[in-house]
Every structure is written in structure tokens, then in C-alpha cells.
Amino acid sequence: KRELFQDLAPLLWNSFGTIAALLQEIVSIYPVLSPPNLTPVQSNRVCNALALLQCVASHPDTRMLFLNGMFSCDEFVWS
């Protein structure tokens, strides 16, 4: 339903920890890629995370921030 929210990208970008959580979701599936053991649930979650990042990357207000990697280091808490 992300198409229903015109300002979803700025909301995602400016919400503390959201981009970090999306990136963690993507990174979390790397161990199951070799050998390929990705479950449908994991595949769906990572596809949704990628779709939200694509939303941020394609929005005119967040595109350059995203492309330039203007992430706050405080957001990243890798476990």
C-alpha cells in the first residue's frame, strides 16, 4: 500500500532507525543465500525491505541523500 502515501519516502528517511532496520533486514538473509536456503517468508520480508528502500531512492526529496549515503551513524546498531 506504499503507493497510497505520497510522503512515505521522507517519512521513512526521517524516522529514527528505519533505514537501519531495512538494511539489517537485507543483510540478515545473506547467510541463507549460500547454500540457498531462503524461505518464502524470508524472501517476502527482504523483498518488502528492498521495495521500501526503492521508494526512498526514487523520491525527489530523499533520492540524493540516499545515493550519497547520508545515513546517521547513530542509527546503525548491528547485532
Side-chain angles (χ1 to χ4, degrees):
K1 295 184 181 184
R2 64 186 179 274
E3 298 84 18
L4 299 176
F5 301 98
Q6 276 188 329
D7 292 327
L8 179 60
L11 178 65
L12 292 171
W13 185 261
N14 293 306
S15 297
F16 181 81
T18 303
I19 299 298
L22 293 173
L23 291 173
Q24 284 178 327
E25 191 69 43
I26 293 164
V27 170
S28 73
I29 60 107
Y30 277 80
V32 296
L33 293 178
S34 181
N37 293 319
L38 192 64
T39 68
V41 171
Q42 290 169 313
S43 176
N44 189 48
R45 287 177 61 114
V46 76
C47 284
N48 287 335
L50 288 168
L52 290 173
L53 284 178
Q54 182 181 20
C55 174
V56 172
S58 64
H59 192 279
D61 294 342
T62 55
R63 178 182 301 130
M64 291 312 297
L65 293 169
F66 182 82
L67 292 175
N68 289 328
M70 303 301 288
F71 303 103
S72 169
C73 292
D74 295 338
E75 287 187 31
F76 293 95
V77 180
W78 303 102
S79 48

